């Protein structure tokens, strides 16, 4: 089975559609949350995802957009965009987002937005958080988003945990008996690793590989849509810097 794993689309439809075109034929699309927030096309991103054969979990921005959590813990720009998103969402998209679970499993994979310990808010950014996270899911693989940084956290058979940031593109063999992994595909719609290209992960369960891809998209088009929607300039500008 060939699976495209995407996360943190953040209403960036241009980036999302470019990624879907680039990955080609897939059996399933797995989405790790934050489908909306920050960007200009929340309804269209939800529709595009919902129309595909997919699994998805909720992120903090999805919960904010549907009123499940407040925006007090968001920075001022994110809070403004969250309120704009809540006002812009049509009923079908709001209902879709409100119904999303926070954890999904498929075969050997667990899917969450933040971490398996704190699916909505916790960031897996370092060895300490990763080490704690390994106690909160079954099976060898957990897929997380939320940090917008493509990464691998690996636990060896003797319990040692290592962290690796992915720079550019990379491939990992998943056929490692006794090892466990937490994998982050990076962000489709708002990368934060100084690479402005959209990021995603392709999992091939037959070959036993996970491949990180970087895909250039028309950033200027998304920025234009954001300006027309009067979203904060700071959010518009950061797309060009990959931060
Ligand atoms: Zn996010």
């Amino acid at each position: 089975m060939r699976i495209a794993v995407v996360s943190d689309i953040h209403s960036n439809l241009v980036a999302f559609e470019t990624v879907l075109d680039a990955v080609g034929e897939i059996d399933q699309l797995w989405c790790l949350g934050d489908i909306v927030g920050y960007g200009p096309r929340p309804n269209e991103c939800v529709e595009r995802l919902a129309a595909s054969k997919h699994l998805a979990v909720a992120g903090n921005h999805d919960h904010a957009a549907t009123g499940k959590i407040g925006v007090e813990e968001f920075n001022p720009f994110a809070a403004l965009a969250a309120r704009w998103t809540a006002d812009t969402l049509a009923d079908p998209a709001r209902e879709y987002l409100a119904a999303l679970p926070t954890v999904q499993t498929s075969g050997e994979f667990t899917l969450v937005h933040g971490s398996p310990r704190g699916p909505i808010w916790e960031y897996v950014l370092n060895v300490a958080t990763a080490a704690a996270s390994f106690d909160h899911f079954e099976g060898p693989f957990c897929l997380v988003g939320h940090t917008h940084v493509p990464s691998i956290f690996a636990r060896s058979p003797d319990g040692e945990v290592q962290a690796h940031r992915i720079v550019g593109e990379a491939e990992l063999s998943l056929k490692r008996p006794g090892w466990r992994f937490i994998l982050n595909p990076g962000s489709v719609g708002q990368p934060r690793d100084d690479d402005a290209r959209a990021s995603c992960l392709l999992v091939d369960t037959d070959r036993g590989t996970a491949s990180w891809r970087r895909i250039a998209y028309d950033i200027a088009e998304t920025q234009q849509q954001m300006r027309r929607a009067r979203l904060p300039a700071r959010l518009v500008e950061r797309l060009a810097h990959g931060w």
Side-chain angles (χ1 to χ4, degrees):
M1 197 161 69
R2 197 160 177 270
I3 302 146
V5 185
V6 297
S7 190
D8 299 276
I9 297 164
H10 283 299
S11 302
N12 188 338
L13 184 67
V14 178
F16 188 26
E17 291 194 320
T18 305
V19 165
L20 292 178
D21 284 347
V23 299
E25 193 85 355
I26 51 170
D27 299 298
Q28 275 207 33
L29 180 62
W30 290 355
C31 176
L32 308 179
D34 278 9
I35 300 153
V36 302
Y38 294 125
R41 293 285 185 269
N43 290 303
E44 293 84 348
C45 285
V46 171
E47 283 163 18
R48 191 73 174 77
L49 178 64
S52 61
K53 194 176 175 203
H54 76 288
L55 282 180
V57 292
N60 51 315
H61 284 261
D62 306 317
H63 273 192
T66 59
K68 288 193 178 188
I69 58 172
V71 295
E72 302 79 28
E73 289 183 53
F74 282 50
N75 71 55
F77 304 104
L80 208 147
R83 285 191 207 99
W84 179 88
T85 301
D87 291 344
T88 304
L89 276 182
D91 288 344
R94 185 179 297 106
E95 285 160 18
Y96 173 90
L97 293 173
L100 284 175
T102 56
V103 184
Q104 293 251 36
T105 56
S106 178
E108 294 182 306
F109 293 85
T110 299
L111 286 64
V112 293
H113 178 63
S115 81
R117 180 169 68 173
I120 292 298
W121 272 115
E122 187 173 48
Y123 291 88
V124 182
L125 273 168
N126 51 42
V127 167
T129 328
S133 297
F134 279 107
D135 295 333
H136 292 265
F137 68 97
E138 309 275 327
F141 309 113
C142 184
L143 302 170
V144 304
H146 196 35
T147 66
H148 299 210
V149 178
S151 346
I152 300 172
F153 301 92
R155 190 166 86 170
S156 70
D158 58 18
E160 192 202 342
V161 175
Q162 302 164 5
H164 305 273
R165 254 176 95 143
I166 306 289
V167 177
E169 303 197 316
E171 183 168 285
L172 172 74
S173 170
L174 301 178
K175 293 179 176 170
R176 297 189 186 209
W179 286 71
R180 298 177 76 212
F181 295 96
I182 297 170
L183 308 177
N184 189 321
S187 169
V188 168
Q190 195 200 72
R192 292 181 193 161
D193 61 343
D194 302 316
D195 184 338
R197 296 173 298 171
S199 186
C200 76
L201 178 66
L202 283 168
V203 171
D204 188 321
T205 56
D206 302 321
R207 287 176 59 223
T209 54
S211 312
W212 281 260
R213 296 273 315 273
R214 292 311 280 248
I215 297 153
Y217 72 97
D218 189 347
I219 294 171
E221 175 58 29
T222 294
Q223 290 178 314
Q224 187 69 282
Q225 293 173 1
M226 291 175 78
R227 287 191 195 99
R228 278 192 217 114
R230 298 177 185 279
L231 286 159
R234 188 189 161 98
L235 298 181
V236 176
E237 285 151 16
R238 68 185 296 176
L239 292 181
H241 307 297
W243 177 255

